[in-house]
Amino acid sequence: MAETAPALLVVSAHAGDFVWRAGGAIAAATMRGERATVVCLSYGERGESASQWLAGKDLDEIKATRRGEAEAAASALGADIVFLDLGDYPLRESPEAVAALVDVYRRVQPTVVLTHPLADPYNGDHPAAARMALEARVLAQAIGVANSDGTFPTKDEIIGAPPVFFFEPHQPEQSDFKPNVLLDITDAFPLKRAAMECLPAQKHMWSYYTDLAIRRGVQVKRNAGPNLGLAHDTMGEAYMRYFPQVTGLLE
Amino acid sequence: MAETAPALLVVSAHAGDFVWRAGGAIAAATMRGERATVVCLSYGERGESASQWLAGKDLDEIKATRRGEAEAAASALGADIVFLDLGDYPLRESPEAVAALVDVYRRVQPTVVLTHPLADPYNGDHPAAARMALEARVLAQAIGVANSDGTFPTKDEIIGAPPVFFFEPHQPEQSDFKPNVLLDITDAFPLKRAAMECLPAQKHMWSYYTDLAIRRGVQVKRNAGPNLGLAHDTMGEAYMRYFPQVTGLLE
Amino acid sequence: MAETAPALLVVSAHAGDFVWRAGGAIAAATMRGERATVVCLSYGERGESASQWLAGKDLDEIKATRRGEAEAAASALGADIVFLDLGDYPLRESPEAVAALVDVYRRVQPTVVLTHPLADPYNGDHPAAARMALEARVLAQAIGVANSDGTFPTKDEIIGAPPVFFFEPHQPEQSDFKPNVLLDITDAFPLKRAAMECLPAQKHMWSYYTDLAIRRGVQVKRNAGPNLGLAHDTMGEAYMRYFPQVTGLLE
Amino acid sequence: MAETAPALLVVSAHAGDFVWRAGGAIAAATMRGERATVVCLSYGERGESASQWLAGKDLDEIKATRRGEAEAAASALGADIVFLDLGDYPLRESPEAVAALVDVYRRVQPTVVLTHPLADPYNGDHPAAARMALEARVLAQAIGVANSDGTFPTKDEIIGAPPVFFFEPHQPEQSDFKPNVLLDITDAFPLKRAAMECLPAQKHMWSYYTDLAIRRGVQVKRNAGPNLGLAHDTMGEAYMRYFPQVTGLLE
Amino acid sequence: MAETAPALLVVSAHAGDFVWRAGGAIAAATMRGERATVVCLSYGERGESASQWLAGKDLDEIKATRRGEAEAAASALGADIVFLDLGDYPLRESPEAVAALVDVYRRVQPTVVLTHPLADPYNGDHPAAARMALEARVLAQAIGVANSDGTFPTKDEIIGAPPVFFFEPHQPEQSDFKPNVLLDITDAFPLKRAAMECLPAQKHMWSYYTDLAIRRGVQVKRNAGPNLGLAHDTMGEAYMRYFPQVTGLLE
Amino acid sequence: MAETAPALLVVSAHAGDFVWRAGGAIAAATMRGERATVVCLSYGERGESASQWLAGKDLDEIKATRRGEAEAAASALGADIVFLDLGDYPLRESPEAVAALVDVYRRVQPTVVLTHPLADPYNGDHPAAARMALEARVLAQAIGVANSDGTFPTKDEIIGAPPVFFFEPHQPEQSDFKPNVLLDITDAFPLKRAAMECLPAQKHMWSYYTDLAIRRGVQVKRNAGPNLGLAHDTMGEAYMRYFPQVTGLLE
């Protein structure tokens, strides 16, 4: 896959997830000039929009609002965004949804995939998104699996086996999330912060996820060098690699 | 640690372990012009030299033979080698042994550390080696921990926090060894083979570990690209990263 | 169940799986004069036939080819074979498929069941096959669960609670496969090899799985006797027992 | 044990650990009028005092400084404090150290015990402290185990089986720390902050652990009620209960 | 949720499960004057009524018998009971079943939920019940998720986040059941015994579950006080808390 | 090892453990005419003799009493018994104790080994016994490891690699004890009961462990046949195999 142009694919259960959890990785990629594509499987219209429901908004209004916010956030990060509008709470797995994702994989030809971890006792949509993202990734590699329009892919249209990284859930320990990759997002953090600020309904999350970036940044430093005092200027995001890293260099 | 010259430190319970389990990584490092140092905590004189005991050799003869073979193998890999002669079967942990390892860490200033995994139901020396390697790595970072001669280290003498990779045990599943790094050692394999051939008493292991390198090489390919047919020309070694990877790039 | 004639049932997601992974156990059973039945849930026509798709074959041709190869391999092993043709990539679980498997269980009256392990990050069809095999095994025990034709079973038609053994996946550690049974297949290996050679499209796998049998054979020896030198003439297959072993004798 | 007066015992590897990790629980206890006793097994003089070593202080000066700070912090929390001065980096387990802890248990008669979790890849002193705290807790229950002065305990001097809670390590996921108790420390937090401010050398930690209390406070709310918006005014500490909770009421 | 009246909700796969596994907790709640509601997802008509099938009863007769027994048992425990009649062996998950459970949650407003654990190799209906109970619990919290009649809930109709306790499966170790709560049911046991005796077809279970209560009672004592001799008069039930305990008091 | 006469070795931390936990397996072996040897590492004089301490007995009296009881129980089971008198509470691991065990292994030439599991939060002596039993088992296999009198073993004196089974701890789930072998001890139970009755100070345990044998017996049946009703006449003991089973027959 060395000859392939880098391309990041982010599979997000709801419209906001990719911002809080992977905004740094996305911004870092686009700042390097790479393509990044976000797929929102739903808008999070039922499960993550309580304040709008309380304010008397109806389903279509809520979906439109969340779509607009997500588009703005993706734009701030330099990423493309696609909405599959599969519904949330619950996000139901289906052959059709997986087939739509297979098409996305073959179009995007991702070299890296980000999605939710496979466990989350607080929100079943997140593991459902991960399961579909993983199933589609395997199917998209097979030349015998048709596209959703019934045509078969050419040898160039099938994908390789891109690495998958799970991004951080809201309550990591309860979701069996043990980070094995700490990403330094110091340079990308201003874009992540800008993207967070595209989501005004969750203003209290801005500081929460800024604090988390500091905390993970401290761990970046603790895992990278001598512990002569903790500096607070490194920002980080935590990831959990699903497949073994393939490398020519231990470092 | 960006400014530090790469340096590989391998902590091996017995004289032969580093060859079978990490020879590819060592050769790859030295082929890039990097320093590599092997520390053998024992010669494996009691537990891994059955054929010599059966042949009537005494302890000193066996140790001398194994030392010579290990020196030859290290030389074939381009690595330095140090022997602590702590005794095997059992390899006993002690403050003095750890202190000797702290000295080695501070002298070598490793940027990468390889050692045994923490569990092995078949050989308690391997986890004992790992525990000492890990304890010494932490102590060597502390400016308040004296060298074994009682002097205190300077700020330059303490080490950073190098990543640690566990190499593959003989029965990986029984030792809770789940590889999360697959190292491509195709180019380095001829040197690994040459090092293996420095150990004539275990000739039947040459093909065993060549087969293992093929098997891990297949996994290198399976985790890196589309599965259009398995080629057998990639050689691999499996590792298990103990601390999270710190990186600026997901790949 | 002491009075029951031994009968082996192998539930295989795709047409080739039973050969590579359980051919030794099957041959050993038939060499003892026992019945063995293989159920292929699919032909592996989409996910495991890349070379044929690349050669321009169509779906029916590929299924026919793989069916023929599987029949030849089963014959070489001395086993019966049944095809449920449920489709692969993905193999979808359904009440109808499970009901068909319940019928098979009641007809075969297995005293031992072999199937895939419950996790495989590389191929979702394998765990899906295992889940259906396990669900059908429980349902087939219940006198209140009808056959697929709507009739109810007699007391003699329901099955006991046969032990289940998971066979080895392609990447065992990644699939949480920790063997707790090592089967000596030395005598059965020639039949396994003959069955492998019935699958000409995967010729490179012949040596791969021969090497694996050697590797597992070494572990057979390591877990069974003193380590005075490893012999390479014992061949093995690894299994993971799902339920506790029931026995009158610890050995 | 219903008739026993509540008494909290905190076993801390180094002089500062109890403040950052359990200050809220300690202050909450003393605010309820209960006794709280902190045992510092070492001062953290070698491993956690890098800035003082860099400033040229000697061992006795560092120990005195850390002792003074820890006394001030304990006082701010309303707790007694005991120093065993066992040395750190490494904190070595010994029969004598365990015997000294047995005496403390029998004198304090704790109804609740707090200590470090059993794993910490970054600092071996923490698990060593936990192992000794747990071993002493079992020995102190046995009427046949003598006090350190050789006398045997009376029936009233042995202790019951107090519950043990592990407090949060610096990198929880890496230390297999999965919280199963979230403690609301909102009212106690001002005392915890005051205690933190008794440790001037680690000023950067004040905000770090304040942020952590906010984060755990969010989880307190997420696990206790409907998610209509996260308030940031609840402060929390996370704990991991080692033994099953014994209760007459599920809640 | 402090102002909410205590209300216990028990989600049971089959008609008898709640008696054997949670009868003590239910009786303890109603003896305190609290409401308790049992939801039986099925009658256990196919998988747990072998003796009736063998006696020639038909499906409707068996369901009626089991319904009557379950009503009597619930009455003996002082609990309300609801039957969803979803069928067993297998109990199939469906959106409709989950929606019916969401309605139950919103009507009952539970402050505590009891259900099966998430793994059971012997009976897939138990984990299926647990998954539906957990999914419905999350959905019932969301103001954007409609009731099954299409109306939307008011702010008062949605539920909080009640703690969930898994009750003990038949073979706990095989079901990854590690109790972290031991409930003293000594005072409630006579009611549990009375409820068990409402299930005459399983008379041999009366002594089996009485013995289990003794065994768990011994553990209640072992985890609560000094071990000066085991008394056999404490009766217990074991539970596994799924979410962290939220508390203001460590005890 | 096929030519070796069966010989059972049981390594027990305290004088009574082998009776409650493995009495059935021992009796079953001796009833088959096989040799069985019990090694008691301590008498359990401090940690498991509370009633005698309360009665004012001194250390030597208690040890003598427990030795006598253990001898009687071993005799009832038809087993030899050896006492190493290493002291309990705590049982300390030492090179000398391991060397004494190596001698026992080489003298007994066990074909099966039983000992405690590796975790027990309630009693650290049990894992300590297991660790020494496992270490000695590995050392006794090595021809280069001397006997405790300094002589080297002959090829016939070293042992093979006997399978190891952990017996059931008092609180199995808390000790990570997941049985993978259920032993039918129906025929051997009368001897086990007789051995239990040799321990009069723990009379309340007789019924407790009889109930446990019934409970494990029910599981023997549940794992071996159709569930048409549970009979209570099968008695069982649960074990956890540490190494993979080596076999020529899946059953």
Side-chain angles (χ1 to χ4, degrees):
Chain A
M1 312 211 319
E3 73 285 5
T4 313
L8 178 66
L9 178 63
V10 185
V11 181
S12 178
H14 310 112
D17 293 334
F18 70 95
V19 182
W20 314 113
R21 304 171 197 287
I26 299 169
T30 62
M31 287 170 70
R32 289 191 302 266
E34 300 172 13
R35 287 177 300 129
T37 304
V38 175
V39 183
C40 289
L41 303 186
S42 80
Y43 297 108
E45 59 268 21
R46 294 186 189 276
E48 307 201 334
S49 306
S51 60
Q52 296 182 63
W53 287 99
L54 288 171
K57 299 293 174 64
D58 71 20
L59 187 62
D60 288 341
E61 288 172 305
I62 293 169
K63 288 165 71 169
T65 300
R66 286 185 66 93
R67 181 183 178 114
E69 291 173 0
E71 287 173 334
S75 176
L77 295 171
D80 297 327
I81 189 162
V82 178
F83 300 93
L84 296 192
D85 194 12
L86 300 171
D88 76 328
Y89 258 56
L91 172 62
R92 293 258 175 238
E93 296 171 77
S94 71
E96 295 73 26
V98 172
L101 273 174
V102 169
D103 287 353
V104 172
Y105 270 98
R106 288 179 172 163
R107 181 169 53 76
V108 170
Q109 293 283 322
T111 55
V112 175
V113 176
L114 310 184
T115 192
H116 300 266
L118 284 163
D120 189 338
Y122 298 93
N123 193 321
D125 292 0
H126 297 158
R131 287 192 300 265
M132 288 193 281
L134 292 171
E135 182 176 350
R137 173 187 166 279
V138 170
L139 299 184
Q141 296 174 48
I143 200 163
V145 172
N147 300 314
S148 67
D149 64 5
T151 61
F152 278 87
T154 65
K155 195 174 170 180
D156 288 345
E157 287 167 342
I158 58 170
I159 66 165
V164 176
F165 297 87
F166 298 139
F167 42 65
E168 179 164 351
H170 195 69
Q171 297 194 46
E173 299 97 345
Q174 305 305 320
S175 302
D176 296 332
F177 181 79
K178 183 170 178 175
N180 53 24
V181 180
L182 294 168
L183 182 69
D184 187 331
I185 61 163
T186 309
D187 295 340
F189 188 75
L191 288 191
K192 177 170 183 171
R193 176 78 193 200
M196 292 199 284
E197 295 182 2
C198 296
L199 306 177
Q202 290 150 295
K203 191 167 182 178
H204 59 280
M205 303 278 267
W206 303 354
S207 63
Y208 185 83
Y209 278 96
T210 300
D211 288 347
L212 180 60
I214 292 169
R215 172 179 149 82
R216 292 301 185 189
V218 170
Q219 294 181 358
V220 166
K221 290 189 68 71
R222 281 291 285 265
N223 284 280
N227 180 22
L228 296 177
L230 303 176
H232 270 202
D233 57 348
T234 302
M235 308 297 271
E237 276 177 350
Y239 290 90
M240 189 168 157
R241 192 188 279 279
Y242 187 51
F243 297 99
Q245 177 186 12
V246 172
T247 184
L249 181 66
L250 297 179
E251 64 179 355
Chain B
M1 315 213 313
E3 74 283 3
T4 313
L8 179 66
L9 178 64
V10 185
V11 181
S12 178
H14 310 111
D17 294 333
F18 70 94
V19 182
W20 314 113
R21 305 170 196 289
I26 298 169
T30 61
M31 287 170 70
R32 288 190 303 267
E34 300 171 15
R35 288 177 299 132
T37 304
V38 176
V39 183
C40 288
L41 303 186
S42 80
Y43 297 107
E45 60 268 21
R46 294 185 189 276
E48 309 202 333
S49 306
S51 59
Q52 296 181 65
W53 287 98
L54 288 172
K57 299 293 174 64
D58 71 16
L59 185 63
D60 287 341
E61 288 172 303
I62 293 169
K63 288 165 70 169
T65 300
R66 286 185 66 92
R67 181 185 179 114
E69 290 174 359
E71 286 172 335
S75 176
L77 296 170
D80 297 328
I81 189 162
V82 178
F83 300 93
L84 296 191
D85 194 12
L86 300 172
D88 77 328
Y89 258 55
L91 172 62
R92 294 256 175 240
E93 298 171 74
S94 71
E96 295 71 28
V98 172
L101 274 173
V102 168
D103 288 352
V104 172
Y105 272 98
R106 287 179 173 164
R107 182 169 52 76
V108 170
Q109 293 282 323
T111 55
V112 175
V113 176
L114 311 183
T115 192
H116 299 267
L118 285 164
D120 189 336
Y122 299 93
N123 193 321
D125 292 0
H126 296 159
R131 286 192 301 266
M132 287 193 281
L134 292 172
E135 182 175 351
R137 173 187 167 279
V138 169
L139 298 184
Q141 296 175 48
I143 200 161
V145 171
N147 300 313
S148 67
D149 64 3
T151 62
F152 279 87
T154 66
K155 194 174 171 181
D156 287 344
E157 287 167 343
I158 59 170
I159 66 164
V164 176
F165 297 85
F166 298 139
F167 41 66
E168 179 164 353
H170 195 70
Q171 298 195 47
E173 300 97 343
Q174 305 306 320
S175 303
D176 297 333
F177 183 78
K178 183 171 179 175
N180 52 24
V181 179
L182 294 168
L183 182 70
D184 186 331
I185 61 162
T186 308
D187 294 341
F189 188 76
L191 288 191
K192 177 170 183 172
R193 177 77 193 200
M196 291 199 285
E197 295 181 4
C198 296
L199 307 176
Q202 291 150 293
K203 191 167 183 179
H204 59 280
M205 303 278 267
W206 303 354
S207 63
Y208 185 83
Y209 279 96
T210 300
D211 288 347
L212 180 61
I214 292 169
R215 173 178 149 82
R216 292 301 185 187
V218 170
Q219 295 181 358
V220 166
K221 291 190 66 73
R222 280 292 282 269
N223 285 280
N227 180 20
L228 295 177
L230 303 178
H232 271 203
D233 57 348
T234 302
M235 308 297 270
E237 276 177 350
Y239 290 90
M240 188 168 161
R241 191 189 280 278
Y242 187 51
F243 297 100
Q245 178 186 11
V246 172
T247 184
L249 182 65
L250 297 179
E251 65 178 356
Chain C
M1 310 209 322
E3 73 284 5
T4 313
L8 179 66
L9 178 64
V10 185
V11 182
S12 177
H14 310 110
D17 294 335
F18 70 95
V19 182
W20 314 112
R21 304 171 197 287
I26 298 169
T30 62
M31 288 171 69
R32 287 190 303 267
E34 301 172 12
R35 288 177 300 131
T37 305
V38 175
V39 183
C40 288
L41 303 186
S42 81
Y43 297 105
E45 59 268 22
R46 295 187 187 276
E48 308 201 334
S49 307
S51 60
Q52 297 182 66
W53 287 100
L54 289 171
K57 298 293 173 62
D58 71 19
L59 186 62
D60 288 341
E61 290 173 301
I62 293 169
K63 288 165 70 169
T65 299
R66 287 185 66 92
R67 180 184 180 113
E69 291 174 358
E71 287 172 335
S75 176
L77 296 170
D80 297 328
I81 190 163
V82 179
F83 300 94
L84 296 191
D85 194 12
L86 300 172
D88 77 326
Y89 258 57
L91 171 62
R92 294 258 176 237
E93 297 169 77
S94 72
E96 294 74 26
V98 171
L101 273 174
V102 168
D103 287 353
V104 171
Y105 271 98
R106 288 179 173 163
R107 181 168 54 75
V108 169
Q109 293 283 323
T111 54
V112 175
V113 177
L114 311 183
T115 191
H116 299 267
L118 284 164
D120 189 337
Y122 298 93
N123 193 321
D125 292 1
H126 296 159
R131 286 191 301 266
M132 288 192 281
L134 292 172
E135 183 175 350
R137 173 187 167 279
V138 169
L139 299 184
Q141 297 175 48
I143 199 161
V145 172
N147 300 314
S148 68
D149 65 5
T151 61
F152 278 87
T154 66
K155 195 174 169 181
D156 287 344
E157 288 168 343
I158 58 170
I159 65 165
V164 176
F165 297 86
F166 298 139
F167 42 64
E168 178 164 353
H170 195 70
Q171 297 194 47
E173 298 97 344
Q174 305 305 320
S175 302
D176 297 333
F177 182 78
K178 184 171 177 174
N180 53 23
V181 180
L182 294 168
L183 182 70
D184 185 331
I185 60 163
T186 308
D187 294 340
F189 189 76
L191 289 191
K192 177 170 182 172
R193 178 75 192 202
M196 292 199 285
E197 294 182 5
C198 296
L199 307 176
Q202 292 150 291
K203 191 169 183 177
H204 58 281
M205 304 278 268
W206 302 354
S207 63
Y208 185 83
Y209 277 96
T210 300
D211 288 347
L212 180 61
I214 292 170
R215 172 179 150 81
R216 292 302 187 187
V218 170
Q219 295 180 358
V220 166
K221 291 190 67 68
R222 281 293 283 266
N223 284 279
N227 181 22
L228 296 178
L230 302 176
H232 270 202
D233 56 349
T234 302
M235 307 297 269
E237 276 177 349
Y239 290 90
M240 188 168 158
R241 192 189 279 278
Y242 187 50
F243 297 100
Q245 178 187 10
V246 172
T247 185
L249 182 65
L250 298 179
E251 66 181 353
Chain D
M1 313 209 318
E3 72 285 2
T4 314
L8 179 67
L9 178 64
V10 185
V11 181
S12 177
H14 310 110
D17 294 334
F18 70 95
V19 181
W20 315 113
R21 303 172 196 286
I26 298 169
T30 61
M31 288 170 70
R32 288 192 302 269
E34 301 172 13
R35 289 176 298 134
T37 305
V38 175
V39 182
C40 289
L41 303 186
S42 80
Y43 298 106
E45 60 268 21
R46 294 187 189 277
E48 308 201 334
S49 307
S51 60
Q52 296 181 63
W53 287 99
L54 289 171
K57 299 293 173 65
D58 71 21
L59 185 62
D60 288 340
E61 288 172 304
I62 293 170
K63 287 165 71 168
T65 298
R66 287 184 65 93
R67 181 185 178 112
E69 290 173 359
E71 287 173 334
S75 176
L77 296 170
D80 296 328
I81 190 162
V82 177
F83 301 92
L84 295 191
D85 194 13
L86 300 172
D88 76 328
Y89 258 55
L91 172 61
R92 293 259 175 238
E93 297 171 75
S94 72
E96 294 73 27
V98 172
L101 273 174
V102 169
D103 287 352
V104 171
Y105 272 97
R106 289 180 172 163
R107 183 170 52 76
V108 169
Q109 294 282 323
T111 55
V112 174
V113 176
L114 311 183
T115 192
H116 299 265
L118 284 164
D120 189 337
Y122 298 94
N123 193 322
D125 291 1
H126 296 158
R131 286 192 300 266
M132 287 193 281
L134 292 171
E135 183 176 352
R137 173 188 167 277
V138 170
L139 299 184
Q141 296 176 48
I143 199 160
V145 172
N147 300 312
S148 67
D149 63 5
T151 61
F152 279 87
T154 66
K155 194 173 170 182
D156 288 345
E157 287 167 343
I158 60 170
I159 65 164
V164 176
F165 298 86
F166 298 139
F167 42 65
E168 179 164 351
H170 196 71
Q171 298 195 46
E173 299 97 344
Q174 305 305 321
S175 303
D176 297 332
F177 183 79
K178 183 170 179 175
N180 53 24
V181 180
L182 294 168
L183 182 71
D184 186 332
I185 61 162
T186 308
D187 294 342
F189 188 75
L191 288 191
K192 177 171 183 172
R193 177 77 193 201
M196 292 198 285
E197 294 182 4
C198 296
L199 307 176
Q202 291 150 294
K203 191 168 184 178
H204 60 280
M205 304 277 266
W206 303 354
S207 63
Y208 185 83
Y209 278 96
T210 300
D211 287 348
L212 179 61
I214 292 170
R215 171 178 151 83
R216 292 301 185 188
V218 170
Q219 295 180 358
V220 166
K221 290 190 69 68
R222 280 294 282 269
N223 284 281
N227 180 21
L228 297 176
L230 303 176
H232 270 204
D233 57 349
T234 301
M235 309 298 270
E237 276 177 350
Y239 289 90
M240 188 167 160
R241 191 189 281 278
Y242 186 51
F243 296 99
Q245 178 187 10
V246 173
T247 184
L249 182 66
L250 298 178
E251 67 180 353
Chain E
M1 312 210 315
E3 72 284 2
T4 313
L8 179 67
L9 178 64
V10 185
V11 182
S12 178
H14 311 110
D17 294 334
F18 70 94
V19 182
W20 314 114
R21 305 170 196 289
I26 298 169
T30 62
M31 287 170 69
R32 287 192 303 267
E34 301 173 13
R35 288 178 299 131
T37 304
V38 175
V39 184
C40 288
L41 302 186
S42 81
Y43 297 107
E45 59 268 23
R46 294 186 189 276
E48 309 202 334
S49 306
S51 59
Q52 297 182 63
W53 287 99
L54 288 171
K57 299 294 174 62
D58 73 17
L59 185 63
D60 287 342
E61 288 172 302
I62 293 169
K63 287 165 71 169
T65 299
R66 287 185 65 92
R67 180 183 178 115
E69 290 174 357
E71 286 172 335
S75 177
L77 296 170
D80 297 328
I81 189 162
V82 178
F83 300 94
L84 296 191
D85 194 12
L86 299 172
D88 77 326
Y89 258 56
L91 171 62
R92 293 256 176 241
E93 297 170 75
S94 72
E96 294 73 27
V98 172
L101 273 174
V102 169
D103 288 354
V104 172
Y105 271 97
R106 287 177 174 165
R107 181 167 55 75
V108 170
Q109 294 282 322
T111 54
V112 174
V113 176
L114 310 184
T115 192
H116 299 267
L118 284 164
D120 189 338
Y122 299 92
N123 193 321
D125 292 1
H126 296 158
R131 288 192 299 266
M132 288 193 280
L134 292 172
E135 182 175 351
R137 174 186 166 279
V138 169
L139 298 185
Q141 296 175 50
I143 201 162
V145 172
N147 299 313
S148 67
D149 64 4
T151 62
F152 277 87
T154 65
K155 194 174 170 181
D156 287 344
E157 288 168 341
I158 59 170
I159 65 164
V164 176
F165 297 86
F166 298 140
F167 43 63
E168 180 165 351
H170 195 71
Q171 298 194 45
E173 300 96 345
Q174 305 305 321
S175 302
D176 297 333
F177 182 78
K178 183 171 179 175
N180 53 26
V181 179
L182 294 168
L183 182 70
D184 186 331
I185 60 162
T186 308
D187 294 340
F189 188 74
L191 289 190
K192 177 170 184 174
R193 178 77 193 200
M196 291 199 285
E197 294 181 5
C198 296
L199 307 176
Q202 291 150 294
K203 191 168 182 177
H204 59 281
M205 304 278 267
W206 303 353
S207 63
Y208 184 83
Y209 278 97
T210 300
D211 288 347
L212 180 61
I214 293 170
R215 174 178 148 84
R216 293 302 186 188
V218 171
Q219 295 180 358
V220 165
K221 291 189 68 72
R222 281 292 284 266
N223 285 279
N227 180 23
L228 296 177
L230 302 177
H232 270 203
D233 56 347
T234 302
M235 308 297 272
E237 277 178 350
Y239 290 90
M240 189 168 157
R241 192 188 279 281
Y242 187 50
F243 297 99
Q245 177 186 10
V246 172
T247 184
L249 181 66
L250 298 179
E251 64 179 355
Chain F
M1 313 208 320
E3 73 286 1
T4 313
L8 178 66
L9 178 64
V10 185
V11 181
S12 178
H14 310 109
D17 293 334
F18 70 95
V19 182
W20 316 113
R21 305 170 195 288
I26 297 169
T30 61
M31 288 170 70
R32 287 191 303 266
E34 301 172 15
R35 288 177 299 130
T37 305
V38 176
V39 183
C40 288
L41 303 185
S42 80
Y43 297 106
E45 59 268 22
R46 295 184 188 278
E48 309 201 332
S49 307
S51 60
Q52 296 182 64
W53 287 100
L54 289 170
K57 299 292 174 63
D58 71 20
L59 186 62
D60 287 341
E61 289 171 302
I62 293 170
K63 288 166 69 169
T65 300
R66 288 185 65 93
R67 180 183 180 114
E69 291 174 358
E71 286 172 334
S75 176
L77 296 170
D80 297 326
I81 189 162
V82 178
F83 300 93
L84 296 192
D85 194 13
L86 300 172
D88 76 327
Y89 259 57
L91 173 60
R92 294 258 174 239
E93 298 170 75
S94 72
E96 294 73 27
V98 172
L101 273 172
V102 169
D103 287 352
V104 172
Y105 272 98
R106 288 179 173 163
R107 181 168 54 77
V108 170
Q109 293 282 323
T111 55
V112 174
V113 177
L114 311 183
T115 192
H116 299 267
L118 285 164
D120 188 337
Y122 298 92
N123 193 322
D125 291 0
H126 296 158
R131 287 191 301 266
M132 286 192 283
L134 293 171
E135 183 175 351
R137 174 187 167 277
V138 169
L139 298 185
Q141 296 175 48
I143 200 161
V145 172
N147 300 314
S148 68
D149 64 5
T151 62
F152 278 87
T154 66
K155 195 174 171 183
D156 288 343
E157 287 167 342
I158 59 170
I159 65 164
V164 176
F165 298 85
F166 298 139
F167 43 64
E168 179 165 353
H170 195 71
Q171 298 194 47
E173 300 96 343
Q174 305 306 321
S175 302
D176 297 333
F177 182 78
K178 183 171 179 176
N180 53 25
V181 179
L182 293 168
L183 182 71
D184 186 331
I185 61 162
T186 308
D187 295 341
F189 188 76
L191 288 191
K192 177 169 183 175
R193 178 77 192 201
M196 291 199 284
E197 295 182 4
C198 296
L199 307 176
Q202 290 150 295
K203 191 167 182 179
H204 58 281
M205 304 278 268
W206 302 355
S207 63
Y208 184 84
Y209 277 97
T210 300
D211 288 348
L212 180 61
I214 292 170
R215 173 179 150 82
R216 292 302 186 188
V218 171
Q219 295 180 359
V220 166
K221 291 189 68 71
R222 281 291 284 268
N223 284 280
N227 180 22
L228 297 177
L230 303 177
H232 271 202
D233 56 349
T234 302
M235 309 297 271
E237 277 177 348
Y239 290 89
M240 188 167 159
R241 193 189 278 279
Y242 187 51
F243 297 99
Q245 178 186 10
V246 172
T247 184
L249 180 65
L250 298 179
E251 64 180 355

